[in-house]
Each structure stands twice: as C-alpha cells, then as structure tokens.
Amino acid sequence: MKNLECEYPLAATVPAPEETALLKWYAVYTCVRHEKRVAEQLQQRQLPSFLPLYRAIHRWKDRKKEVELALFPGYVFVQLALENRLRVLQIPRVVHLVSFQGKPAPLPQEEIDTLRQGITARVHMEPHPYLQAGRRVRVRSGPVAGLEGILLRRKEGARLVVSIEMLMRSVAVEIDEADVEPC
C-alpha cells in the first residue's frame, strides 16, 4: 500500500509553533476518481495533504491490471488553518470541504494518525462498508498497536474495521485475533 502525502516543504517554510496549533485536518470532497490529481495540486501548492491508497486487481475481457485506488473514494485529507481554505477550494475538481451546519469540520487528529500508522506499517487495508455497532477492540501488539476499531470474525481470520466517523466510511485491516483486547 502506498499513499500520496505531502509533508511540510523545506525547513525555511515550516510554520511557527503558534501557527501549527491552528492547523487542523479536513476532508476535501473531490470529483469522482480525481483524488490523485487533487492530491498532486495540493502538493504543488505546498499544503500538507494525505491520500491513502490501496492496490486492487481490475479485470477486463482481454487483460487484468493492478491499480491503485483511493482508500476513501472521493476524499483527500488536507492540513490547514481554516482561513487558508480558499487555497484548497480554488483547485480544479475540488467540490467542497466536508462541513456541518455550513462550517468546515476538522477531523480528529487520532483518526488521521491511525490511518498513517497503518499505512506506514504497510498493513493491508481496503474499503469496508461503514460499521457503527460491534465489539470494540484495541490492538495491543504488532505493527498497528494502539489501533481501535470493531472486530469481525470470518472463516479466513479476523478483521479490524476502523471508521472515520465524520465521513461515515470504514477500512478493514487483517489482524491476528490474539493481538486484540477489549476497549
């Protein structure tokens, strides 16, 4: 698994600590299948962004090919101070920032950290239908230690379903059931 991510550019342009406190993660809703292009544009504008990707095999009549798809179709995550949102909204193929009651809603830092942790550990993640109910567990050991979600048992093994509540989207992570404990 890979991600498109833009960290802060050169040290000379890193925001001051008081500015960093104002930076929050927001979900940017994009046109369908334009997530990679929007992530590239954010990177060119030197805005910290995060686009988690996963690999899938697509089959056609005459061939099959491995493709990289957005883990959250239609969404890219961007870190910015709210007063700079116009820099994001001016990007072609950006529809809007995810908002509630007309105000852009920041994502909890823990949810972004959870996604990054799984991707950094190269854990296989894939989209999963959104889950609200189920047995909540925390991974106590392994590459995604500390990750919290809902445990699903299947014939092939266990899966941990991690949800981004604000987007009502989930991803599934293959785990060993012995590595989890109740929350």
Side-chain angles (χ1 to χ4, degrees):
M1 184 179 329
K2 172 178 143 177
N3 64 36
L4 293 178
E5 186 171 353
C6 174
E7 295 297 331
Y8 291 116
L10 303 174
T13 59
V14 172
E18 61 274 0
E19 290 177 22
T20 304
L22 298 174
L23 297 179
K24 296 193 186 303
W25 285 98
Y26 295 91
V28 176
Y29 185 66
T30 68
C31 293
V32 179
R33 293 188 297 270
H34 285 89
E35 302 90 354
K36 290 180 188 176
R37 185 69 182 129
V38 169
E40 288 171 9
Q41 291 289 320
L42 289 166
Q43 202 168 20
Q44 288 173 2
R45 293 174 190 228
Q46 299 183 341
L47 290 166
S49 63
F50 178 55
L51 174 59
L53 300 172
Y54 74 102
R55 293 181 185 269
I57 303 290
H58 278 207
R59 291 178 177 86
W60 292 271
K61 283 183 177 179
D62 59 338
R63 61 193 161 102
K64 61 182 177 180
K65 183 177 179 181
E66 186 176 62
V67 294
E68 286 187 323
L69 302 170
L71 197 53
F72 298 96
Y75 295 95
V76 176
F77 305 108
V78 64
Q79 188 180 35
L80 59 101
L82 200 49
E83 56 268 8
N84 295 330
R85 68 180 176 261
L86 193 56
R87 291 179 63 198
V88 174
L89 296 172
Q90 291 174 335
I91 294 174
R93 299 171 199 89
V94 165
V95 178
H96 58 79
L97 292 175
V98 174
S99 303
F100 289 104
Q101 298 177 347
K103 294 182 182 179
L107 290 165
Q109 182 69 42
E110 305 81 46
E111 290 183 353
I112 296 296
D113 291 343
T114 296
L115 283 173
R116 285 183 156 184
Q117 179 182 350
I119 288 172
T120 301
R122 298 196 186 283
V123 172
H124 176 72
M125 291 184 178
E126 60 187 36
H128 190 277
Y130 181 68
L131 287 182
Q132 288 181 298
R135 182 173 157 215
R136 295 210 48 92
V137 296
R138 177 182 300 115
V139 180
R140 65 174 166 221
S141 63
V144 290
L147 195 62
E148 291 184 18
I150 297 172
L151 183 66
L152 287 180
R153 289 186 178 93
R154 305 177 96 189
K155 289 180 185 176
E156 311 87 49
R159 284 183 147 192
L160 182 69
V161 178
V162 180
S163 298
I164 302 288
E165 301 297 327
M166 187 180 308
L167 302 179
M168 295 186 74
R169 301 282 177 136
S170 298
V171 295
V173 180
E174 301 290 329
I175 58 165
D176 185 357
E177 198 169 344
D179 291 339
V180 299
E181 62 188 10
C183 285

